[in-house]
Amino acid sequence: MKKDIEIPVAKDVHVAVIREWNDEFLSKDWNVYLINNRTDVIEMTIVVSKGFDEDKKTSTMRHGIGVVEPKSFKKIEFLQEEVLALNNEFFVTFFAENKLFEKRFLFPKHTIAEDHLTTIPIIDKEGILAKD
């Protein structure tokens, strides 16, 4: 019976943290983005995020992203400086190809830092890709 269950593998969907200038507060902020690098639309997209380590845990945040067009991105949330010292986990769930996909992304603690920045595809800005 177990061999008959197909678990689809989510490919070409990424989570990135981008360091961006905030005109309103005149500061550089860390913002989290969902990137759809697929050739098809992903729909009914939901992102669940939390920060944690051995001693601390943040609230669980749920974000309804909806539709993300192919080769595009959408902002998920702003990250406060205090949570950068924690593991930051993002579960992304979406529909594509008439199937439900889910993928876990992790930014281990202290990896969201200026010295880890690289150019992020699709967004074309400096940031950090999550480990999947």
Side-chain angles (χ1 to χ4, degrees):
M1 295 279 277
K2 275 188 173 179
K3 65 180 176 65
D4 296 328
I5 299 172
E6 177 192 349
I7 301 172
V9 177
K11 294 182 182 174
D12 298 323
V13 174
H14 310 281
V15 172
V17 176
I18 305 293
R19 186 76 161 160
E20 297 179 299
W21 179 255
N22 183 328
D23 287 329
E24 186 177 344
F25 294 107
L26 302 175
S27 64
K28 281 194 129 182
D29 295 336
W30 293 102
N31 293 305
V32 184
Y33 286 88
L34 176 66
I35 302 170
N36 178 10
N37 200 18
R38 297 168 56 102
T39 56
D40 58 341
V41 172
I42 61 174
E43 300 176 300
M44 295 175 54
T45 308
I46 297 172
V47 180
V48 178
S49 64
K50 68 179 179 180
F52 65 93
D53 68 7
E54 300 80 31
D55 306 326
K56 298 178 187 172
K57 188 169 100 171
T58 67
S59 300
T60 299
M61 305 289 286
R62 291 169 182 83
H63 307 277
I65 305 298
V67 174
V68 184
E69 297 295 326
K71 305 294 182 187
S72 69
F73 58 91
K74 283 198 176 177
K75 186 175 177 179
I76 299 171
E77 68 183 18
F78 158 78
L79 279 182
Q80 294 179 327
E81 293 286 332
E82 295 82 26
V83 301
L84 302 182
L86 303 173
N87 296 304
N88 287 279
E89 180 180 67
F90 297 84
F91 276 99
V92 178
T93 307
F94 62 91
F95 276 98
E97 307 167 26
N98 292 322
K99 297 176 190 168
L100 180 66
F101 291 85
E102 183 176 68
K103 192 167 186 178
R104 176 183 181 257
F105 297 92
L106 180 68
F107 292 97
K109 56 178 143 180
H110 304 294
T111 58
I112 301 174
E114 293 276 347
D115 56 337
H116 295 127
L117 295 175
T118 60
T119 301
I120 304 299
I122 306 292
I123 298 177
D124 201 30
K125 290 184 180 179
E126 294 289 305
I128 302 156
L129 279 175
K131 297 183 185 311
D132 38 288

